[in-house]
Amino acid sequence: MADFDVDLFVIGGGSGGVRAARIAAGYGARVMVAEEYRVGGTCVIRGCVPKKLLVYASRFSHDFEEAAGFGWSVPEPSFDWPTLIANKDREIARLENVYTANLEKAGVEIVKTRAVLENPNAVRLMSTGAKVRARYVLISTGAAPNHGADIAGLPHVISSNEAFHLPELPRRIVIQGGGYIAMEFAAIFEGLGSEVVVVYRGENILRGFDDDVRAHLRGEMESRGVKIITNALVTSVDKAGNGYRVHLSSGGSLEADRVMFAVGRHPNVGGMGLETAGVKLTADGGIAVDEYSRTSAPNIYAVGDVTNRIHLTPVAIREGHAFADTVFGGKPTMVDYTEVPTAVFSEPEIGMVGLTEAVARDRLPKVDIYKSVFRPMKATLSGRNTRVLMKLVVDGSSDRVLGCHVVGHDAGEMIQLVGIAMKMKATKADFDATMAVHPTAAEELVTMREPVARYVREAVE
Ligand code: NDP
């Protein structure tokens, strides 16, 4: 131990790294965290947190529209983007300070620098040139936006990173991509008053989500005015006046004030000396790790998006915690990646946990599907043409609920709780035995009596 300056050197002060550092320090480890940008990482600085603040902002417009049906007369509302961005930035700065203070309180030393591995036990701090000898190293450098194909005019395109700091709200925006970020920013900009066009290369948005969810969200977003062009790619972007002309593979072009791509994210693995330290990558470019997040170098671990497992903050946090328990707490801990609940903060929201209908039917001989599509109570007076979708995917043999899918207001809040029931292996009978909370939308999850479909796979002789 005496040969090392620290017991743990963490490269990357985001969700996974910060959690690992604090827990390891709690076990008595001497910990140093290097962060070259801002403490808090993508989630806090330019991901989940600022995104959710923009989501809140964007939803007021719908509330103003809907208020009249409840007797309110709302004067013509006006919106000021710079105010929102300044307030958001103030909150993010506060959170960054909280993260920093929590690390310091735990006795962790923070160094604001890029850190490069010189060998498995030595890290060079690029800001000062100092060398730190570390018993263990944790890599938690996260991921960064992909740019997609190298098309003409790519420098005109922004990613979510820049979207958080635009000087003004674009009147018209084209967003390429059909995943989480594209849907969330399409909803944000639509709610704030922009004309939004989504361009997606496949048949329908949100590949990997349940097909009913995909169709439902698309319909809802289109009815709110988001234009969704599928089976198309952006082939080039030209400057046109104060804005841009966006050319599509399907023919034709679109005019926009901003063009944003949300076409996935890649692990941040460059310029860190990984090869020198003997850290291997997977075929898809993430750091290869075992079930304890250990890399090919025995004293180096990696957690979070840089490992390209599940790109979700709570997963990175869990991995960071499990790493610290394993290495410094004497409690070898693996992360359970089953039934991870997730939400897309589109408008309306999506909440999902477990299997889609397609996956369940592929894997299981008997599958029962319960589904309800209904008008939420608020819409009866607000007059909004909207529907909620709730769907349960049930194992027809064991009666276990294997998947739950919700599209509607507060779906993210609902799915967190359904996730507990599913983790406890709840059956459809358990859902049925649960008393409804009335009047709520969520009660529909415990009142769906008859399956809308029962699939039984023919036995192959
Ligand atoms: P996603 O993987 O969700 O979506 C990427 C989208 O881009 C897909 O529609 C994909 O199409 C499309 N795409 C990929 N490559 C190209 C290309 N070369 N040209 C055109 N389109 C392309 O990634 P995001 O960037 O939206 O988000 C990254 C990750 O961050 C998410 O997977 C998620 O795990 C996480 N995240 C989570 C959030 C949350 O929890 N609410 C919010 C935001 C992000 P195809 O489907 O055909 O491959």
Side-chain angles (χ1 to χ4, degrees), residues 5 30 56 83 101 105 131 229 271 374 413 417:
D5 302 311
R30 294 165 302 160
Y56 283 128
T83 301
K105 239 183 281 166
K131 185 163 135 177
I229 300 174
F374 59 95
E413 305 289 341
L417 303 180

Side-chain angles (χ1 to χ4, degrees), residues 359-421:
V359 170
R361 286 174 59 188
D362 191 46
R363 286 192 198 163
L364 300 160
K366 286 186 185 172
V367 177
D368 298 341
I369 301 296
Y370 294 80
K371 189 160 69 176
S372 178
V373 178
F374 59 95
R375 191 175 195 199
M377 191 194 253
K378 192 176 175 191
T380 57
L381 294 202
S382 75
R384 181 171 293 283
N385 180 18
T386 183
R387 296 286 182 278
V388 175
L389 167 73
M390 294 195 181
K391 181 169 176 179
L392 295 177
V393 178
V394 177
D395 179 350
S397 310
S398 67
D399 198 40
R400 254 188 79 182
V401 178
L402 299 178
C404 177
H405 307 269
V406 179
V407 186
H409 182 65
D410 276 346
E413 305 289 341
M414 283 182 222
I415 215 67
Q416 179 67 83
L417 303 180
V418 175
I420 301 172

Side-chain angles (χ1 to χ4, degrees), residues 10-24 33-35 38-50 95 99-100 102-103 138-143 265 302-306 310-324:
V10 180
I11 308 181
S15 302
V18 165
R19 172 59 67 94
R22 284 178 51 200
I23 302 300
V33 174
E35 170 56 57
R38 295 176 68 182
V39 175
T42 298
C43 177
V44 176
I45 305 297
R46 47 191 178 188
C48 332
V49 176
L95 285 175
Y99 267 67
T100 304
N102 285 344
L103 279 173
L138 178 70
I139 302 168
S140 48
T141 45
R265 296 171 63 86
V303 297
D305 291 359
V306 76
I310 303 180
H311 285 234
L312 293 175
T313 296
V315 173
I317 291 173
R318 199 52 83 82
E319 288 168 354
H321 202 127
F323 152 77

